Amino acid sequence: MEAVRSQRKSSFSNGGGGGVSTLPIYRSAPPLEVRLEDFELYAVDRLRVLKRISDGLSRGKKPDEMEKLVLDLWKTNMRHEHSSEVVNKDIISHFVLRLVYCRTEELRKWFLSMETTLFRYRFRDESPEIQRALMAEFDLQYKAVSNAEYESVKDKLNQVARAIGQPITSTDTIFYKNLHRIWSIYIGCFGYSYDQEIWIDWVPFEEVPELVAGRRVLIQKGNAYIAMNQVVSLVITQFRSLLSKALVLTNRKWTSMIREQEKDRLTPIVEALSTSYLGPDYSQPREHAELSLKDIDQIAKSSFPLCMRHLFDKLREDHHLKHGGRMQLGLFLKGVGLKLDDALAFWRAEFSQKVGAERFDKEYAYGIRHNYGKEGKRTDYTPYSCQKIISAAPGVGDHHGCPYRHFSEENLRAALTRMGVGNRAMEDVMDKVRNRHYQLACTLTFEAVHNSTCDAGVNHPNQYFNDSQKIFESKKSSSNPKGAAAST
Amino acid sequence: MVREEAENGRDDMLIDGDEPEQMKLDYALPDGFNADYLKVYYGKVFPYVDMSKWLSYGNDGKHPGCDHSYLGRREFSFTLDNDIYVRFQSFNTASELEKAIKEKCPFKIDIGPVYSVDPSKRHAYSQGGDNIFTPVEKELVFDVDISDYDDVRYCCSGADVCLNCWPLMTIAIKVIDTSLRDDFGFSHVLWVYSGRRGVHCWVCDGKARRLTNEQRAAIVDYFRVYKGNENSTKKVSLVGPALHPFLVRSYTEVLKDYFENRLLSSQNLFLNEERFEKILEMIPDESVTSELRGKWLSNKQSDVARWDQLKRLLQSSKQKGQGLRRCIEEIVFSFTYPRLDTEVSKHMNHLLKAPFCVHPKTGRVCVPINPKNCDEFDPSAVPTLSQLLRELNSGSFRGEGDNEWDGTSLGDCVRYFRESFLQPLLKSCKEEIEASYNAKVQQSRNSISW
């Protein structure tokens, strides 16, 4: 089965037009032969686009900014020296990333969200003819309908259009569709002319809940009548739903069949691609005291002390932290060099998954700005020291405080194992904990994880971090001057 | 003695968390609301068969497409004497339901969703993965409570209701009912008196029962106009060059008429400074408000006259543009437009009081309301528990022998429920079950490639 309609295979134009669409909807896997190197390279280019889209959304970019971003990213990353290969690259990279991102609920959610955003802005950029052609791919056809039917709803449609501030003119196109058939309505009783063609779309109201909620559509007898620009929303919903189902199926095929079959060929590449998403970009020299968001997951694993790592993991898991946790982690991140804008993007990306972007902006953004001295009495707060953290009293639902003090032995052992503390060191650490020498316990952990001594002992989480970074820097510069291969 | 028992009963049962309210004279003391009276009600009057038929949605039939597990997967909850609340009750047949109610004599019965499996067996199922315990069907419901209108009614407050403010409920029924049928295409809509100060709505079409939480929230938002709280002065904001047809229809067919011809006078909305200032607050133009204030402080006019003055002044302000003329509608909407309890409607797993329960504080039965003549509904004429018992005891049985309610004032209510709601619903359910069964039998193989 082809993902691209047969008549489009022969001509690929970069700008669209002439009724030929270059925007695939990825309905099924292409039967194309792919070189292994291309497999990985194409996927990496597309992944770069998706990650930057993710970044843009986290920063709360407005739709017109996102549109420009998406189209620029696409043009920059997804071109190919042979124009005939452009669509192939598009399709192949998408299906490769499906394999990578089908494997857990979190990955699927992220991929679905980014691909839908990408599709949305690419769709909006296309001409109306191409948009209609794409709608046809979602099983929509055209049929004529009577003037009388249009007349009966015309006034109310105009009323809705005025109510939402988008007046209908005769040159606007609105689609009229009944349960997957498109009807075209002709003005005037005899024949029609393209200038006066008006298309109206109506769908069961259940399919457009956002439009119903905002009273942005006329609803009659269970059907919602929607205007052209709202049709985009409908198409996106279809795209999203298609991809969502496909991802679940892909996951099943992956686990039951593909992973094993491909264990010498594709599987290692697929697995490497998913961790490269988290991987840092060692090819660029890191500036002094600056932390960039794309490195944060990797750095958390390697250089955060247990208290901050725990908060960070919980934040990623729950998409929320209570006040104590936000303060402790937030100030720590400031200390490691996270700029205010990045901090806002980071917290926003997490919290909006739980409480929504709007609530984040209303309720939490202020606190972050406050931490950076941009609000209120403008004190630039300093990150907490170990002493302060140890003396904290976390309650139900809290994750701040010193884990060496508050975790049960069982939980602490598990957490330290996850950090990479070996058996011998573990006993030493637990011994210190039992004797209430929490900072010494943390120091021993540091030494175990980094395989080096820490003479000064740990007094401050940021000190732990800086010392850790120093060790990595020195290791890197001594062993491999060029740095690891760029894989983002 | 009886009164004492009733009072004790009331104190124990803080179902709505209200402080004890003063009873109005036209709301007779619920003499005789107690477990014994309730027992007789459940023994002789409560319409088990109709209720079970309703909630089975045709699945209690013999057609091969019928799902006999359906009723058993519905959650009920009982509020027993002494405030004991038991959830996740389920019954496989009508007679099981009847037996349980007669035995336990619940002071309140709530109806919840139909789950994927029998709720009493829920612990055997997990929260995630393939085999889960989750709601699969639930009627779309609405709850309108007159205490949500306390800021726009002066005759009563809190749990009290009288014929001067009850029209607010009538308005809600008319606006919402029309929209549910004409806009959303629903046909099987049941309105029920909540027993004291409001109304409930049950939308029972198959399409409605299968709505997701997101779709329910969308419908609630479609209906929502009133936003804000004690801190905002203007709680209704109707922006845009035109109003949505739904709002226009509601205004021209219901709201305007009730406001101008009933509430204006019955509530004396312009009676004194405190009251008319509340309305002037909604007008953003100083020159208009000061002119009106001047007129009203110096002379006495009727509410109707003052409203006319206000309208004329706003409509004539041509230079100020659309905004001022829209104020008229905003004021009318503020005082009349339905205020729904949004949380009730949004979630499938919400439990709502069953029709034909008896309200413990008033003794009144939660009877169905016919939306076609809802403006004739009088909450003070709704049959009470003690009234029904008196009628039963007086032995005036008309109609068929096995329906004891037939000889009481509840007879018309049950008949309405049966004929106007239940029968058309069951007919359509039967058709749905048959069609769905036939479709399954003829279904072609599904192929989805990855």
Side-chain angles (χ1 to χ4, degrees), chain A residues 1 27-29 95 98-99 156 159-160 162-163 165 205-207 209-210 212-213 215-223 246 249-250 253 258, chain B residues 130 181-186 207 211 214-215 217-219 221-225 238-248 337 448-450:
Chain A
M1 278 207 240
R27 201 185 268 283
S28 47
F95 280 94
R98 264 202 213 180
L99 287 176
K156 294 221 183 102
Q159 214 169 16
V160 175
R162 276 166 53 227
F205 77 87
E206 291 97 324
E207 290 184 23
E210 342 74 55
V212 170
R215 282 195 298 267
R216 302 180 71 77
V217 287
L218 174 69
I219 309 181
Q220 275 192 342
K221 288 295 173 211
N223 291 307
L249 280 169
T250 304
K253 288 208 173 174
I258 304 175
Chain B
D130 281 339
R181 290 176 206 273
D182 292 354
D183 297 346
F184 290 98
F186 296 125
K207 240 181 26 153
L211 287 170
E214 190 198 1
Q215 289 157 342
I219 297 176
D221 282 335
Y222 179 85
F223 286 141
R224 190 151 64 118
V225 169
L238 303 171
V239 292
L243 288 185
H244 188 279
F246 159 62
L247 299 178
V248 172
Y337 185 83
I448 309 172
S449 69
W450 74 282

Side-chain angles (χ1 to χ4, degrees), chain B residues 69 73 113-119 125 131-137:
Chain B
S69 77
R73 291 187 280 120
V114 178
Y115 283 94
S116 50
V117 294
D118 185 333
Y125 297 87
N131 226 11
I132 56 171
F133 172 67
T134 188
V136 294
E137 275 190 25

Side-chain angles (χ1 to χ4, degrees), chain B residues 2 33 68 80 136 146 154 156 183 218 224 233 259 262 342 359 392 400 432:
Chain B
V2 164
F33 178 84
H68 290 118
L80 307 175
V136 294
I146 209 166
Y154 299 114
C156 310
D183 297 346
R224 190 151 64 118
T233 42
F259 180 82
R262 295 231 210 165
T342 55
H359 197 297
L392 283 174
E400 313 97 272
E432 223 182 276

Side-chain angles (χ1 to χ4, degrees), chain B residues 425-438:
Chain B
L425 172 65
L426 293 180
K427 180 162 177 286
S428 125
C429 287
K430 184 159 173 278
E431 286 163 12
E432 223 182 276
I433 289 176
E434 286 170 6
S436 151
Y437 180 73
N438 292 334

Side-chain angles (χ1 to χ4, degrees), chain A residues 411-422:
Chain A
N411 287 344
L412 189 54
R413 279 178 188 274
L416 290 173
T417 308
R418 272 200 301 275
M419 274 183 87
V421 176

